[in-house]
Amino acid sequence: MSQPHTPPHLDADPWADLRAYTAARLALGRAGASLPTAEVLRFGLAHAQARDAVHIALDTAALQAELAADGFDTLLAHSAAPDRAAYLARPDLGRRLADDSAARLGNHATTNGCDLLLVIADGLSSLAVARNARALVTEIRRGLPAGWTLGPVVIASQARVALADEIGQTLGARLVAMLIGERPGLSWPDSLGAYLTWAPQPGRSDAQRNCISNIRPEGLGYVEAARRLWWLCAEARRLGLTGVALKDNSDSALPGADTPPALPAADGQAQDQQ
């Protein structure tokens, strides 16, 4: 039986085995001085998917219906950016509530507020929200510690991260977590990020937030993301802050964290033990 061989015009990439461990665009190979045609086509597809993730509008009605079916109270909000074109060209508008949204949310403010307010926002990838937000919110609610209160879930359109500051202040939240579509990459267009801010109010800087990134089934799973978020919430309430002064040491709370991981035995050692 003849052995498969590489055509003479294609050069095998010695790093190709690494592709089994990551979705990053590496070990693409080459054909002469260029990429193989298959990789050029994959790049074009990835670029198109990234553009779609940015430009396709979030179906807020569908998401609201899904969350309502799961028993969540929801509110809708819109930034001061009237459309996608304005949102992309004027980031400052995406950080402020539209006047009618500010008034509507103000009508739902309560005296006691809540401990944690979840805001779901389209950001730069509505695809990430459509695929991941519902499952993540469900896991966050499942991990709700005793004595903590959750506010209604706010679904925000044309939103930047800082929009959660104004929403959180309006609804009297002591902590706000913005679950937002991250800027798409060329390996995956559907990563969700969670930005946590203590005592939200307009004017907070990014240095005053903690971020949990790459939330999706192929990245950081929903259960682990929710666990990290609640660990950060507990520390934020204990210290009265979030941001660069709050380090994510949530791994230290895992069972067996004090035990160094065992190294795999070398082949010779394994044979000796057998």
Side-chain angles (χ1 to χ4, degrees):
M1 180 177 178
S2 61
Q3 297 296 319
H5 65 279
T6 302
H9 61 286
L10 291 178
D11 297 314
D13 194 309
W15 303 101
D17 291 347
L18 295 177
R19 302 185 72 172
Y21 303 99
T22 176
R25 307 185 72 80
L26 51 76
L28 303 182
R30 60 190 172 89
S34 302
L35 288 171
T37 300
E39 292 301 335
V40 173
L41 294 175
R42 290 192 187 99
F43 182 88
L45 175 61
H47 189 255
Q49 290 174 329
R51 288 179 60 87
D52 285 348
V54 171
H55 290 285
I56 292 177
L58 175 64
D59 190 342
T60 55
L63 181 58
Q64 191 175 30
E66 291 173 352
L67 293 175
D70 293 340
F72 290 99
D73 293 328
T74 58
L75 299 172
L76 295 179
H78 200 289
S79 78
D83 52 38
R84 202 59 172 170
Y87 170 81
L88 294 174
R90 292 281 306 274
D92 58 311
L93 296 180
R95 302 184 182 110
R96 303 199 318 262
L97 277 172
D99 291 341
D100 58 338
S101 286
R104 189 167 57 251
L105 291 180
N107 293 332
H108 292 273
T110 61
T111 303
N112 295 327
C114 62
D115 293 311
L116 176 63
L117 181 73
L118 300 178
V119 180
I120 299 175
D122 48 6
L124 287 169
S125 175
S126 60
L127 182 65
V129 175
R131 289 182 177 176
N132 303 307
R134 182 184 184 184
L136 178 59
V137 167
T138 299
E139 287 299 333
I140 291 173
R141 182 176 61 180
R142 185 171 291 133
L144 180 69
W148 284 69
T149 57
L150 279 177
V153 178
V154 180
I155 302 172
S157 301
Q158 312 296 4
R160 303 275 176 175
V161 171
L163 187 69
D165 296 337
E166 186 176 355
I167 295 174
Q169 183 186 50
T170 301
L171 295 177
R174 288 170 278 286
L175 277 163
V176 64
M178 171 66 102
L179 315 179
I180 189 169
E182 295 180 339
R183 184 187 305 275
L186 289 175
S187 295
W188 45 83
D190 61 343
S191 288
L192 196 69
Y195 291 81
L196 183 67
T197 308
W198 172 259
Q201 57 185 285
R204 291 293 192 201
S205 72
D206 289 342
Q208 294 175 295
R209 315 183 199 284
N210 288 84
C211 177
I212 302 171
S213 186
N214 195 27
I215 302 171
R216 60 195 183 98
E218 300 82 3
L220 185 68
Y222 307 131
V223 174
E224 175 61 12
R227 185 190 69 80
R228 288 178 183 269
L229 180 67
W230 279 120
W231 187 92
L232 287 169
C233 286
E235 286 296 286
R237 186 158 74 170
R238 183 177 70 84
L239 299 172
L241 54 81
T242 48
V244 295
L246 173 55
K247 301 303 180 186
D248 182 359
N249 293 320
S250 56
D251 286 345
S252 64
L254 293 174
D258 296 334
T259 303
L263 295 175
D267 291 344
Q269 293 173 323
Q271 291 172 356
D272 290 343
Q273 292 170 357
Q274 292 175 357

